[in-house]
Structures are given as C-alpha cells and as structure tokens.
Amino acid sequence: MPHSRLSVIVTRKLPEPVETRMRELFDVRLNSDDHIFSREELVAAMGQADVLVPTLGDKIDAGVLGQAGERLKLIANYGAGFDHIDVQTALSRGIIVSNTPGVLTEDTADMTMALILAVPRRLKEGATMMETGQWDGWSPTALMGHRIAGKRLGILGMGRIGQAVARRAKGFGLQVHYHNRKRLRVETEEALEATYWESLDQMLARVDILSVNAPHTPSTFHLLNARRLKLMKPTAYIVNTARGEVIDENAMTRMLRAGELAGAGLDVFEHGREVNPRLRDLQNVLLLPHMSSATEESRSEMGEKVIINIKTFADGHRPPDQVVPSML
Ligand code: DGY
C-alpha cells in the first residue's frame, strides 16, 4: 500500500516535527486543537482510516472495535502502554496493534527516581512553605524527612523501566528488591545487585519504598489490593509511574489518611483524570499529571516509532513494535 494514499487519523496533537513528517508521508488527519475524541468521534475515525493513531485516553474496547470499518488495518498507538485497547478483539478482526516501547524508559525512570527522592524528603511541603511565604528561616527540627541511602526499595515489575529505576537506585545507595512475573537472568540480577522475591506479599512486608513499574493487565489489576497494602510497613512510601489500576486507589487513600502508609508519589491514577479528591489535600502525597514521559526527546521518539510502525506495515511487513498475544 503506497504511503501517500494511506489514510491516517491521529486522535491528539503530537509534537510539531512528528506531525510535519506525518504530513509528508501520509494522507493524515491531525487534531490541531488537541480536543479529546468522544466515543462517537473515535468510532467515526475508525470507520474512515486505514490507520488510527490513538493515545492512552482513547478507550478502544470491543464495542468500538465492532464498528471499525473494513479498511482499518492498523492501530499504531502513540504510547508504550496498550491497556486502553482490546488487543485480542482487534486481532480477531484482523487489526494489528503496535506501540512505542523503549524510547520513554529513561525519562520515566528519572521521574520515578524524582518521586522516590521527593516524597520521603518532603519536597512538596518545603516548596509550599516557600511559595506561601511561610518560611521563618532555617530550623534544626523543621521538615525532617527520611534518608534514602540504605533503605530497601521494592520494584514491582522489572521490565525495561523497572531495571532503569534499579540502575539509578543503586547509585543512591538503595538496596534493590524486586518482584516480577519472571525472574531476571542471574547476570542481570548481579549487575543490578537486585534481590528477587517470588512472593510479592513477603517483599511488600519488608520494603521501605515501593515503586510500581508493572503494566496494567487483567492479572495486575488491583495487584496492590487492601490486603496486600496492609502488609506494608506504616513507615513505607509508594511511588507509581506505571498505571493507577495496579493499586486499589481507595484502599491506598484510606491508609494514607489513617497514617498506615507514610506517603506516596503518584503520576498515574486508577480513574485517569478523575483523581480521588481525598488524595489532593495530603501533604505527604505528591501528585503529578501523568508526565513521566513528558520530555521533548521521548515524545518525538514516540512519534518516530509510530511512523516506522506505519511505514513498515504499509510496506507489507510486520511493524517492529507489534503487540502480540504473549504480551497480553
Ligand atoms: C505510555 O506510553 O503508556 C505512558 O504511560 C505515557 O507516559
């Protein structure tokens, strides 16, 4: 299929260089005002395009896929996570799904580390004090947080991002522990000085900081449920830059409010933009607007990956980042 005739619809505004390249290569419809597509718009787009480029806010479930047009053959997701797409149903309808892994690993790990440092060291409270003019000068007892070095960091999900967090954590003197579907190879474990816990429950009971780096799948939904959260020490912190659905947000919020957890740094939420209001007023909770991959570099490289996936598909080959059933 020649690229020039390939009809591509992009659901959100992408970085300028990515859009320029797409205009050169495809018959592309861009979203210049960056509005969020309604379900109806999504269905209409899927009826008109050969290729849809959605992002994580577009829920492409079986209902939407059921209305896809004959010509839709590829959903080239702009993003690494694909939990908003019913990939099984897409595949059963002959629609391939691709994503953009690898290019946001380092930036997401940096943000994870930023939260790991920020919450125990009470950065939010310090910054608020300065912004509101409430600082009376240095005091021996003000804003005492907790030392990072020597603490146990538990990483839940030791894929690319989890491992990038582990590399950074080592540099900060944290002891790295992890739980993963599959144990890492011994050489990788040794290089990261990481201790594997087959039992998530046992790891949770021992760590001082927990970093969630696992994708949202049916088997990780509420993996951190009320029972498991209660296994954690009341002095422990949680950081989540992966997906909100991995944690039972209400249970975590109740525990944070009751002082049964020491604090949290959250870049993602169980219900997307609908952030639990009871999290907002907690001084020991730092909330970010899902910005871990928000660097010029990551977002451009994500666009380049989308373009390569589309071009490869148009040339009659399998997109390099095709989502396959073993990844679900
Ligand atoms: C992704 O690509 O899935 C990320 O969550 C975006 O930051």
Side-chain angles (χ1 to χ4, degrees):
M1 196 181 294
H3 307 156
S4 57
R5 300 192 44 224
L6 205 62
S7 158
V8 177
I9 299 184
V10 184
T11 68
R12 295 297 299 269
K13 182 158 180 49
L14 301 183
E16 188 51 45
V18 177
E19 294 198 338
T20 302
R21 189 72 186 125
M22 283 186 161
R23 269 194 218 98
E24 287 163 6
L25 289 170
F26 314 119
D27 173 14
V28 66
R29 198 166 90 206
L30 300 167
N31 178 355
S32 53
D33 66 8
D34 199 28
H35 69 280
I36 296 172
F37 273 28
S38 64
R39 197 171 168 88
E40 291 70 35
E41 275 179 291
L42 202 53
V43 167
M46 293 184 56
Q48 291 154 14
D50 299 313
V51 179
L52 182 80
V53 180
T55 70
L56 54 86
D58 302 305
K59 190 150 183 52
I60 304 181
D61 54 22
V64 169
L65 283 161
Q67 299 178 69
E70 280 295 306
R71 57 191 291 187
L72 184 74
K73 289 285 173 274
L74 173 66
I75 297 176
N77 186 51
Y78 180 85
F82 45 80
D83 51 324
H84 55 294
I85 304 173
D86 181 343
V87 179
Q88 287 288 17
T89 302
L91 288 175
S92 71
R93 296 184 59 91
I95 302 167
I96 289 174
V97 178
S98 63
N99 68 338
T100 64
V103 290
L104 37 79
T105 304
E106 302 303 324
D107 295 328
T108 304
D110 284 345
M111 194 61 93
T112 306
M113 207 59 224
L115 289 171
I116 289 173
L117 297 173
V119 182
R121 294 302 308 273
R122 303 174 65 178
L123 255 60
K124 174 174 164 179
E125 289 161 87
T128 306
M129 190 179 267
M130 299 306 285
E131 281 163 16
T132 55
Q134 284 171 2
W135 187 45
D136 291 332
W138 189 84
S139 140
T141 54
L143 289 174
M144 291 189 291
H146 288 284
R147 179 180 297 158
I148 300 299
K151 294 292 187 314
R152 289 196 182 129
L153 170 70
I155 300 179
L156 171 55
M158 201 59 148
R160 286 189 185 87
I161 297 173
Q163 292 180 42
V165 171
R167 285 197 297 277
R168 285 157 175 75
K170 214 167 76 120
F172 280 87
L174 282 154
Q175 298 170 28
V176 177
H177 297 255
Y178 77 98
H179 172 82
N180 198 43
R181 251 193 327 182
K182 265 174 47 194
R183 187 170 180 169
L184 299 179
R185 295 197 343 231
V186 181
E187 308 85 84
T188 315
E189 258 183 21
E190 281 175 4
L192 296 172
E193 293 171 31
T195 304
Y196 173 65
W197 290 86
E198 192 177 346
S199 159
L200 173 60
D201 288 10
Q202 286 181 18
M203 183 180 88
L204 290 176
R206 284 165 179 82
V207 297
D208 302 300
I209 304 167
L210 178 74
S211 174
V212 179
N213 299 105
H216 167 217
T217 66
S219 54
T220 63
F221 176 75
H222 279 196
L223 190 55
L224 295 174
N225 54 22
R227 180 191 70 76
R228 286 212 175 91
L229 289 169
K230 282 193 193 304
L231 299 172
M232 295 182 71
K233 300 193 250 184
T235 50
Y237 299 91
I238 296 184
V239 165
N240 189 0
T241 54
R243 282 293 183 268
E245 290 91 335
V246 179
I247 308 180
D248 178 340
E249 193 171 284
N250 282 335
M252 177 179 63
T253 305
R254 276 195 301 274
M255 288 181 66
L256 284 162
R257 295 192 77 87
E260 292 165 5
L261 283 169
L266 308 170
D267 187 44
V268 286
F269 306 92
E270 186 174 343
H271 305 290
R273 284 182 299 156
E274 309 298 321
V275 178
N276 189 329
R278 289 166 59 78
L279 277 172
R280 289 212 190 102
D281 60 346
L282 292 173
Q283 282 306 307
N284 54 346
V285 175
L286 181 53
L287 306 178
L288 295 178
H290 200 155
M291 59 185 284
S292 288
S293 71
T295 63
E296 305 264 350
E297 292 84 353
S298 265
R299 296 291 163 86
S300 295
E301 288 166 19
M302 286 161 71
E304 283 161 25
K305 279 216 156 225
V306 167
I307 291 170
I308 291 169
N309 282 319
I310 300 175
K311 280 177 64 180
T312 313
F313 166 76
D315 289 340
H317 306 292
R318 188 175 174 277
D321 303 307
Q322 181 174 345
V323 177
V324 293
S326 62
M327 292 159 71
L328 303 175

